[in-house]
Structures are given as C-alpha cells and as structure tokens.
Amino acid sequence: SQTKLARALNCLNQSGVTSNIYVVINGRMTPTQKEIVRKKAELDKDLYFALLHWMKAHHPGFRDVEIDVSSDPKIELIEDDLSPDTAGDPEVEKRDDGAIYFFS
C-alpha cells in the first residue's frame, strides 16, 4: 500500500541511507518467498552499466549523462515488518509468477 511505502521511505530518509536503486519487498510472503525475492534483487553491475551505456547512445534524455564505471551502485532493500506467512506446499513456495516494476 502507499502508506507502507511512504513509511518505509521515511525510515530511509531518517537513516541517511543513500542509494539510487530501491527494491521494496512488501506484502504477505513466507521466509522462502522473501529469500527468492532478495536473490532476484541482486545487482548485475556489468548489465547495469551496459544498459546505462545503451540508454546514453539511444535515448536523448541520457545523452549528457556522465557514466562513472568506477562507482559502486548499490541496491537498497526495503522490507516490511509483517510477521511471515506459514510455509505451505514446497512446490508452490518455489514458483515465480513474475514481478511488477515501477520506474520513477
């Protein structure tokens, strides 16, 4: 929900954490499901920089962007503090039905 997202972002703001990539893990999940999401949220830095270079070459909005490949981009995971759901069928636990991405 927007309220939970706002609360998480406020917490980040107060902590002084700086990142340019945020992954919000929110909603009812079992511990296994949360671990799957955490692993999928790992940053492939080579792919990240390749995408930035492609955007610079093909998108006018990125034309003047300076790309510092020596930088160390980090992903900041934001997780809710809900009690985890109880694990059920192990086969269902491993299933991935995709994700929703919001670019801003």
Side-chain angles (χ1 to χ4, degrees):
S1 74
Q2 293 297 342
T3 304
K4 290 178 185 175
L5 179 59
R7 190 170 55 221
L9 291 175
N10 186 42
C11 182
L12 278 176
N13 189 31
Q14 291 174 354
S15 72
V17 171
T18 58
S19 177
N20 59 348
I21 304 170
Y22 294 97
V23 175
V24 178
I25 301 175
N26 186 16
R28 297 179 59 176
M29 289 185 251
T30 66
T32 301
Q33 291 167 329
K34 278 197 173 186
E35 188 58 33
I36 290 169
V37 173
R38 285 185 199 104
K39 287 179 182 174
K40 287 182 173 273
E42 292 175 1
L43 180 63
D44 180 338
K45 291 180 185 178
D46 292 334
L47 177 60
Y48 175 75
F49 284 115
L51 289 170
L52 281 178
H53 285 288
W54 186 91
M55 292 294 285
K56 184 174 176 74
H58 295 92
H59 191 290
F62 284 76
R63 185 173 300 127
D64 298 325
V65 171
E66 295 294 324
I67 300 173
D68 180 7
V69 294
S70 66
S71 68
D72 189 21
K74 298 206 180 332
I75 290 181
E76 185 68 34
L77 288 175
I78 303 168
E79 298 189 43
D80 60 30
D81 55 359
L82 297 175
S83 299
D85 273 357
T86 305
D89 182 348
E91 291 305 311
V92 174
E93 292 288 307
K94 295 186 285 186
R95 189 176 70 212
D96 178 11
D97 290 334
I100 298 172
Y101 302 95
F102 296 97
F103 297 98
S104 57

